[in-house]
Amino acid sequence: QVQVAESGGDSVQAGESLRLSCTASGFSFDSYAMGWFRQAPGKEREGVACINWSGDTTFYADSVKDRFHISKDNAKKIMYLHMNSLKPEDTAMYYCGTSGEDGPGLGVVFRKGDFSFWGQGTQVMVSS
């Protein structure tokens, strides 16, 4: 049974940093690409960042590039999202997802949002 849990969300001031964590079990963590997505109230879910199974290929949304960093520790079955220079527009529920696509098509799959989601998300709120 797949189990995923996001954590690390908090209420912070603009310019501050947070680290989100995604722990997973019930599947071969090191065989899947993983990603972070977010959904703000009244908006559609959007991709934030994703990483391939080995951790050597990443994709980022333009809005977070150079501020956020995604990583994964296959041995510990944890994925992280390091968020720096947070802005009020980063306020959203953040979810982690999995994808069986790990080749050259990962970027396309990420931008289409074609990931599987299992957890309840973790809330990030950034005030100005």
Side-chain angles (χ1 to χ4, degrees):
Q1 181 181 357
V2 175
Q3 291 186 322
V4 168
E6 303 93 342
S7 63
D10 203 349
S11 294
V12 296
Q13 297 288 318
E16 293 185 342
S17 300
L18 280 175
R19 187 184 74 170
L20 305 184
S21 300
C22 171
T23 58
S25 62
F27 65 99
S28 298
F29 189 85
D30 57 359
S31 298
Y32 282 81
M34 303 280 292
W36 285 99
F37 293 76
R38 66 187 181 187
Q39 187 166 20
K43 294 187 177 182
E44 294 186 355
R45 184 170 55 203
E46 63 173 353
V48 176
C50 74
I51 188 167
N52 73 336
W53 70 271
S54 62
D56 59 7
T57 299
T58 57
F59 295 94
Y60 293 91
D62 289 342
S63 60
V64 307
K65 202 172 294 184
D66 299 327
R67 297 190 298 123
F68 290 10
H69 175 71
I70 188 171
S71 64
K72 69 196 296 262
D73 186 328
N74 286 336
K76 295 181 179 179
K77 296 187 178 182
I78 298 178
M79 176 179 65
Y80 300 104
L81 183 68
H82 299 261
M83 306 188 294
N84 299 311
S85 303
L86 282 161
K87 303 176 180 180
E89 50 263 44
D90 295 319
T91 294
M93 187 72 79
Y94 284 71
Y95 301 90
C96 62
T98 62
S99 174
E101 174 61 51
D102 199 64
L106 178 58
V108 175
V109 170
F110 168 64
R111 286 171 176 78
K112 292 172 62 177
D114 193 14
F115 276 55
S116 298
F117 300 94
W118 312 91
Q120 300 299 311
T122 186
Q123 180 70 47
V124 173
M125 186 167 293
V126 185
S127 55
S128 58

